[in-house]
Amino acid sequence: MRSRLFAPLTRGGRASRAGGWFGFRKPTHLTPPLACGSRPPCQGGEPTGRRFGFTLIELLVVLSVIAVLLTLAVPRYFGSIDKSKEAVLKENLNQMREAISRYYADKGKYPESLDSLATDKYLRKVPTDPITESTATWQVTPPSDPAKGGVYDVKSGAAGKGLDGSEFASW
């Protein structure tokens, strides 16, 4: 005898053809066991001997969509990298020029080298030129009077032009 709890979910109860109240299906644990050697008939979404997977056409379409998206995104990505390197270069130059000005204001002379800015704690360390990726490529401009020190101004030693068309060495 079946429980009255599941009576609405069976065919004899008040269940609709759509699968019972609130869309519930008939519970599988209440079905009688299958006879030995028999198989249940195909139902709903069960496979009928067909293999599942993607066809070659579907894979080619997906790969072509990915390729189109990459052709749009990659140039913007590399352009943004160049913009960020230029922004870092400008900021590094501004930081070093401010440190040189503070050094001159404190000591009355310009530093002998960029390393002396770091040793005297005006900079944590000499920044790296983001274009050349080196600290040794900075171009130092000495003051007009050599007795005042060795570093009046600093410029980038990178070859080439920025996105605005000006030379890196002129920044």
Side-chain angles (χ1 to χ4, degrees):
M1 178 171 175
R2 292 193 172 157
S3 166
R4 298 187 100 213
L5 178 66
F6 292 108
L9 300 177
T10 61
R11 288 186 187 172
R14 295 182 182 173
S16 67
R17 289 185 181 179
W21 290 348
F22 306 111
F24 293 117
R25 294 187 138 192
K26 182 178 174 182
T28 57
H29 67 279
L30 295 178
T31 58
L34 297 172
C36 186
S38 65
R39 300 180 115 190
C42 287
Q43 299 172 348
E46 291 185 16
T48 58
R50 182 175 172 219
R51 293 184 183 182
F52 286 103
F54 297 110
T55 63
L56 181 62
I57 299 296
E58 291 170 336
L59 291 174
L60 289 175
V61 167
V62 168
L63 289 176
S64 64
V65 168
I66 290 172
V68 167
L69 291 174
L70 284 176
T71 59
L72 296 174
V74 168
R76 288 185 184 201
Y77 173 72
F78 286 117
S80 67
I81 288 176
D82 292 338
K83 282 182 188 178
S84 65
K85 283 185 177 183
E86 288 185 13
V88 169
L89 176 62
K90 288 179 182 179
E91 183 62 27
N92 286 348
L93 288 170
N94 285 335
Q95 291 293 326
M96 285 193 293
R97 288 175 179 153
E98 287 179 20
I100 291 169
S101 296
R102 283 184 275 142
Y103 188 96
Y104 183 76
D106 288 345
K107 299 193 177 186
K109 66 175 190 164
Y110 293 104
E112 293 299 323
S113 67
L114 292 177
D115 290 329
S116 63
L117 290 172
T119 56
D120 291 341
K121 305 294 184 192
Y122 286 93
L123 292 173
R124 288 188 182 186
K125 65 178 185 172
V126 177
T128 303
D129 187 342
I131 308 297
T132 62
E133 297 178 355
S134 173
T135 59
T137 56
W138 295 113
Q139 298 297 317
V140 175
T141 305
S144 57
D145 184 12
K148 287 189 172 182
V151 180
Y152 174 73
D153 194 15
V154 66
K155 297 185 186 237
S156 174
K161 294 183 179 183
L163 294 176
D164 61 353
S166 63
E167 296 282 333
F168 290 127
S170 67
W171 289 5

